[in-house]
Amino acid sequence: MIDNHFVVPASLTGKRILLGVTGSIAAYKVAGWVREFTTRSAEVTVVMTKAAKRFVSAMTFGALSGNRVYGDMFVREPEELMAHITLSREADVLLIAPATAHTIARLACGMADDLLSAAVLAAKIPVVVCPAMNTAMYTHPATQHNIGRLCDLGYHVIPPECGELACGEEGAGRLPEWETVHEKLIALFCPQDLKGKNIVITAGPTREALDPARYLSNRSSGKMGYALARTAARRGAEVTLVSGPVNLAIPPGVETMQVTTARQMQARVLEKAESADIIVKAAAVSDFRPKNCHRQKIKKNQGISPIEVEENPDILATLGKRKDKGTMLVGFAAESSNHEAEGRRKLEQKKADLIVVNDILRPETGFDVDTNQVILVDAGGSKQLPLMSKEETANRIWDHILTL
Ligand code: C5P
């Protein structure tokens, strides 16, 4: 039976963002974020401070959000009279980006002398602050003190990044990247039910060299393993991702170790296994490696010779054998036939607690696509999940692991 029950969000779809823009040159970058929100079907309402309007016009934010842009506290339109209260009542999160040193100082004191600061005081929703300013201003003890105060008040402060600043100087103070902010916002809507868990995840293929130019590998893209790492971090886990060669961005907040061969992957996993509560082996490890790696490139005129191979260590089975202190072991099985039976065979053979089986022959569940449909096989039975994005699938796998 297919289980169609969703709980944990994997995107910002349908979320209502109240965006406070203050007077920093980085305001132009945030105009791009509005577009990112709307393409993800999130609803954005913008409040600008007076200084923000000197950098980017309200028209820009209005056109990009498709909504009225708020600014003045004292207005005539009846529907705006109570905006300082109603705006946050109609939103799921209040994001202040860029947040200037001045705005941060005013929020730290609890001032309410403009629409944005009054809306912050009236807000009962999570408040996320993205400071952006010159390095000396950011590192000044007054600003640091004020940021500390915002943290004490329960606001979520995303630290600025280091790099070249608009003023020409270099250092901390750059507005965080969109990916970091996007990830933080999704995490706010996720339960923190993996908090305190130490999780090791492997992802991607391994490569086994034949000569300096060639290798044996497989078609794994790493998308499923990266989705597991990303969603676990969102749900509060400490995540170590041991990744084979893939072309994916490292998920924010995830410690990543890059490896190439199965033996390197094994070394990294065993090193981390001691302190792990859960190990998820989503990597497609090469079962075999060439017996000899030629030091020189094999030339065409050397003729065709068979490639002699030897077996790679089975990392999951090794972990299964030495399992002692209750680390949960989760394996994957990419199958082209007898899916459930193969999953159960691997569950028993490798002494895993859960095997996630997928069909590599179907185009929407095979390699390098963003969707998957899996069967969860464990000692208690098996459950088929619906076809959905790899991030939604990852969330459902965590939900299931939490029940085991
Ligand atoms: O036996 P098979 O390769 O199909 O099993 C797949 C599962 O075993 C995956 O979780 C994979 O990461 C793991 N595995 C492993 N070491 C290998 C081969 C597979 O850990 N050498």
Side-chain angles (χ1 to χ4, degrees), residues 202 204 262 265-266 280-288 311-319 330-335 342 345-346 349-350 354-356:
T202 67
M265 184 172 277
Q266 165 155 282
V280 183
K281 295 280 302 79
V285 186
S286 305
D287 290 322
F288 303 101
E311 212 171 321
N312 263 331
D314 189 314
I315 308 168
L316 184 58
T318 309
L319 291 166
V330 181
F332 270 68
E335 303 298 338
E342 278 302 302
R345 183 179 65 76
K346 285 179 188 173
Q349 218 169 53
K350 304 196 187 206
L354 172 68
I355 293 283
V356 182

Side-chain angles (χ1 to χ4, degrees), residues 195-326:
K195 203 164 189 70
K197 298 269 180 269
N198 212 318
I199 303 181
V200 176
I201 299 168
T202 67
T206 61
R207 284 181 188 168
E208 311 294 335
L210 185 57
D211 71 13
R214 304 178 178 96
Y215 52 78
L216 297 183
S217 191
N218 57 65
R219 292 177 53 207
S220 169
S221 64
K223 285 182 177 174
M224 192 63 236
Y226 274 58
L228 283 158
R230 189 182 288 276
T231 49
R234 282 177 190 164
R235 293 169 75 158
E238 288 293 321
V239 183
T240 304
L241 177 64
V242 182
S243 174
V246 297
N247 203 4
L248 298 172
I250 291 168
V254 169
E255 182 197 353
T256 306
M257 298 173 157
Q258 309 282 355
V259 297
T260 305
T261 67
R263 284 180 295 176
Q264 288 168 356
M265 184 172 277
Q266 165 155 282
R268 290 289 186 221
V269 172
L270 295 185
E271 187 184 305
K272 286 278 165 186
E274 264 311 294
S275 53
D277 299 300
I278 307 170
I279 302 177
V280 183
K281 295 280 302 79
V285 186
S286 305
D287 290 322
F288 303 101
R289 62 174 178 268
K291 202 164 182 178
N292 299 306
C293 173
H294 295 249
R295 288 164 68 88
Q296 304 291 331
K297 188 177 170 199
I298 304 165
K299 295 285 181 203
K300 203 162 31 173
N301 58 15
Q302 284 175 261
I304 303 167
S305 61
I307 301 170
E308 224 188 314
V309 294
E310 59 191 0
E311 212 171 321
N312 263 331
D314 189 314
I315 308 168
L316 184 58
T318 309
L319 291 166
K321 262 187 221 142
R322 46 156 83 176
K323 203 162 115 177
D324 44 8
K325 59 168 190 80

